[in-house]
Amino acid sequence: MSDREVPREEAAGSRDRLLDMFEAAAGQYLSGEEISRRLGVSRTAVWKQIRRLKDAGYVFDAAPKLGYRLAASAAALDARRIEASLRTRRFGRSLTVLARTDSTQTEAENLARAGAPEGTLVVAEEQTSGRGRQGRVWHSPPGRGVWMSAVLRPEGPLTAVPQLTLLAAVAVCRAIRAETGVQAGIKWPNDLLADGRKLCGILLEAVVEDGRVRHCIMGIGIDANLEEADYPEELRQKVTSLRRESGKEVDRSALIAAVMNEFESLLSLHAEHGFQPIRLLWESLSVTLGREIVVRDARGERRGRAAGLGEQGELRLETEDGEVLPVYSGDIELYPGRASGDDPKER
Ligand code: BTN
């Protein structure tokens, strides 16, 4: 059987084992001969697999006699480059960069349970089981996105958690605008859109014990350098990426640091002055306010105008008969807008 005829699952399996091998080598060279012996495939197959990984955004150094190693470069996520751009005291200071994981949420959750401090950050080149809000799948292909999760240890009550979600959206939106020039806007509660298409999603998962927040995991997925071909067919009309919007390759390491910088400074603002300044920032970046919307939540479907944010970060929905209803969770659809069904693949 030629390399081209290798079944898809088998190819993915050997690619995963190849990445594991490079990760375990921790920056040391591996010869083509050694790789082919350990994987039980031909040298040509190894070379083709490496070429596929390069196409997916991984960067390799190749040296005669030594072989290949996974390289650090502007294109690949690089802990040193992220750290060099941080202006924080806590956020991103404890940093794990992974080539591949099932979900950075799970990685950060394990670290939080083991006592990791607030601001601990996990970033991955690829997620094999990335998850989104409402049990959806978050498509996280290798080498082109920003898939990251941070540990939060809020001291306030559980009711303040939605405010953190909105704060996170403001932080990411400001970082994106400053780093890339893309004029992203926030769709309630915390999706970022450009040209009406989604380019970032945020998932805040809170672990509660005895009515108190033990910790939260803030997951952020940004479609930084994804191309149309990186998405499954059914997502292509609904999504966009920073590269597509700006026409330029995004430096993901710099963007990660910028998000951490913004988040920490907004968290201080929140601690000192409460939710009001965050609410004003959120409203100024919103693409939801003033729009006709449909809300879908546990109570069913309601229509109205997005009138503003309430004290706890809830959306105030003004119905046709002038009643103002608070919306605490759920999905909204903007009119005129793109349909938002319950397809588990949908973002
Ligand atoms: C949404 O549904 O809009 C939220 C998507 C959140 C995706 C991010 S990617 C990093 C982190 N790890 C995950 O598995 N999910 C979040």
Side-chain angles (χ1 to χ4, degrees), residues 143-194:
R144 303 201 206 273
V146 167
W147 323 128
M148 64 179 172
S149 300
V151 175
L152 311 185
R153 296 198 178 276
E155 298 200 333
L158 185 56
T159 48
V161 169
Q163 297 182 357
L164 288 179
T165 305
L166 301 173
L167 188 154
V170 173
V172 182
C173 193
R174 284 165 61 98
I176 283 176
R177 288 182 173 206
E179 281 296 311
T180 69
V182 173
Q183 294 303 295
I186 309 172
K187 177 184 164 213
W188 189 86
N190 55 3
D191 284 349
L192 297 191
L193 311 186

Side-chain angles (χ1 to χ4, degrees), residues 1-303:
M1 187 185 272
S2 78
D3 291 316
R4 282 184 179 279
E5 291 167 319
V6 170
R8 198 181 251 270
E9 279 166 25
E10 200 175 312
S14 71
R15 190 199 72 151
D16 287 356
R17 285 192 290 142
L18 184 58
L19 272 175
D20 287 342
M21 221 183 274
F22 276 112
E23 260 206 284
Q28 299 301 306
Y29 279 97
L30 294 172
S31 73
E33 194 187 339
E34 187 187 354
I35 299 168
S36 86
R37 184 175 44 76
R38 284 168 59 185
L39 288 182
V41 298
S42 69
R43 297 273 298 268
T44 316
V46 170
W47 180 79
K48 287 190 173 170
Q49 199 59 266
I50 287 177
R51 200 183 55 190
R52 277 190 210 112
L53 286 170
K54 281 183 177 169
D55 288 343
Y58 289 91
V59 180
F60 289 87
D61 291 329
K65 296 209 175 80
L66 291 174
Y68 308 94
R69 69 175 180 188
L70 253 183
S73 78
L77 290 174
D78 176 10
R80 280 160 303 169
R81 295 191 57 255
I82 296 172
E83 279 157 3
S85 303
L86 285 175
R87 297 189 315 272
T88 57
R89 280 195 320 114
R90 292 169 296 151
F91 277 80
R93 293 296 171 185
S94 167
L95 174 64
T96 305
V97 180
L98 302 169
R100 186 165 24 95
T101 178
D102 51 355
S103 162
T104 56
Q105 289 295 99
T106 311
E107 299 279 355
E109 172 63 23
N110 291 340
L111 293 173
R113 284 191 189 278
E118 173 157 271
T120 297
L121 180 66
V122 180
V123 181
E125 287 283 7
E126 177 184 9
Q127 297 185 118
T128 51
S129 301
R131 53 182 191 262
R133 292 174 62 233
Q134 323 249 0
R136 292 180 187 129
V137 171
W138 185 262
H139 179 65
S140 323
R144 303 201 206 273
V146 167
W147 323 128
M148 64 179 172
S149 300
V151 175
L152 311 185
R153 296 198 178 276
E155 298 200 333
L158 185 56
T159 48
V161 169
Q163 297 182 357
L164 288 179
T165 305
L166 301 173
L167 188 154
V170 173
V172 182
C173 193
R174 284 165 61 98
I176 283 176
R177 288 182 173 206
E179 281 296 311
T180 69
V182 173
Q183 294 303 295
I186 309 172
K187 177 184 164 213
W188 189 86
N190 55 3
D191 284 349
L192 297 191
L193 311 186
D195 280 341
R197 292 169 184 245
K198 183 158 171 174
L199 55 71
C200 166
I202 298 170
L203 174 67
L204 208 88
E205 297 180 314
V207 174
V208 180
E209 260 175 24
D210 302 327
R212 290 191 62 82
V213 183
R214 196 175 142 186
H215 58 257
C216 295
I217 306 299
M218 173 179 68
I220 300 172
I222 308 175
D223 288 353
N225 292 319
L226 275 71
E227 310 271 14
E228 194 163 310
D230 293 319
Y231 298 99
E233 188 73 42
E234 65 273 22
L235 281 182
R236 289 186 189 163
Q237 296 306 311
K238 298 173 182 160
V239 294
T240 187
S241 72
L242 294 172
R243 179 197 210 150
R244 191 162 152 188
E245 295 299 316
S246 67
K248 285 185 291 228
E249 178 91 8
V250 172
D251 180 341
R252 292 176 299 148
S253 298
L255 180 59
I256 289 166
V259 171
M260 291 295 103
N261 294 339
E262 283 289 347
F263 187 80
E264 188 170 293
S265 85
L266 290 174
L267 209 55
S268 305
L269 185 69
H270 187 254
E272 279 172 38
H273 301 285
F275 183 53
Q276 179 64 1
I278 306 299
R279 173 161 67 175
L280 293 177
L281 287 170
W282 189 96
E283 288 179 349
S284 73
L285 297 168
S286 163
V287 293
T288 306
L289 295 190
R291 298 277 297 271
E292 290 301 315
I293 61 170
V294 170
V295 177
R296 293 194 182 87
D297 62 11
R299 296 166 58 188
E301 206 175 279
R302 285 166 295 158
R303 258 167 211 264

Side-chain angles (χ1 to χ4, degrees), residues 303-321:
R303 258 167 211 264
R305 192 181 69 89
L309 290 183
E311 289 298 318
Q312 291 179 13
E314 74 278 17
L315 184 66
R316 295 168 66 247
L317 179 74
E318 191 181 309
T319 61
E320 259 182 1
D321 47 20

